[in-house]
Amino acid sequence: MKTVIMGAGAMGSLFGAVLTLSEEDVWLVGRGRDHVEVIQSKGLTMEEKGKIYHIRVNITSDVTSIGKADLVLFFIKTYQTERAVSDALILQKEDTIFLTLQNGLGNEEAICKQIDRKNVILGVTGHGATLLEPGRIRHAGWGKTHIGELDGKITDRVNHVAQMFLKAGIETEVSQHIHDLVWEKLFVNVGINALAAITGLKNGQLSDYPETMRLLESLVSEAVEVARRKGIRIERDPLERVKAVIEATRENRCSMGQDLDYKRRTEIDAINGAVVREAKQLGIPVPYNQMITGLIKVIEKTF
Ligand code: KPL
């Protein structure tokens, strides 16, 4: 199975690394010149649980040089999805599967603008990774990955992708309710990302302060109310789940935190901003999410 990962940031590089270690045929497509050049010349360095791995990962910034793919995995920022999908069209053959493991809401819609829905599968992952410097990442958080067909059917192809991930050590489950799990992951990002980004904390440090935990609870409960009103099935206690992710990714600086640290645009519109948009349609107030979205947007404007 030839897999092409669109996006060679921390998470794309992590999946590229572990799939390569598992002897899969994988290509990373990245835009950061320094990162691509270091990996091309010296390989990718991955720190994981105190060990250091040097991995020869295939990487290019020229997607046209790869040929056709069996699986295209999107790990780009949410606001880059449409452009990345256009770039990835050249990889497509009749049965190519397009899978997103990105954060936030709206990725499915962005992909399906250009790709037939029957070729798209959805997913979420609880892993966390930090880009330390060009060519070097730290695997700093573990959690389950869920993938599923848009119509909830359990198919051979989705099982096949899950098997490939499992073989690479990525704990993966196939879900018949992947849209509910996208919201479940949204609760995690709604609670952790903007709050950790603004305070400069690592995920685990959020639970060291009663103030951050109170804010987190308010952010998450607003999002849960929006989800309930939209008819999303919520099986596990969302707050307990967010707390569990904080523990499992203690040492990680969340993706939005890394974005602010490097003065990059964030995914706020697809996370807390998405809660604000959905709440507006439902006519319910979400003051905490509105405020934190505004704060992140102001910080972005100062870059
Ligand atoms: O998804 C993440 C992110 O950083 O965006 C978590 C799971 C919170 C890991 O940091």
Side-chain angles (χ1 to χ4, degrees), residues 43-83:
L44 175 72
T45 305
M46 177 173 72
E47 296 180 11
E48 189 186 64
K49 293 183 177 159
K51 288 196 184 140
I52 304 227
Y53 299 84
H54 298 286
I55 310 151
R56 281 276 160 202
V57 182
N58 296 320
I59 188 165
T60 180
S61 43
D62 175 16
V63 68
T64 64
S65 64
I66 301 175
K68 300 294 176 196
D70 298 300
L71 172 67
V72 178
L73 177 49
F74 290 107
F75 257 132
I76 59 278
K77 295 289 177 193
T78 45
Y79 52 84
Q80 294 169 337
T81 306
E82 285 190 35
R83 197 194 54 213

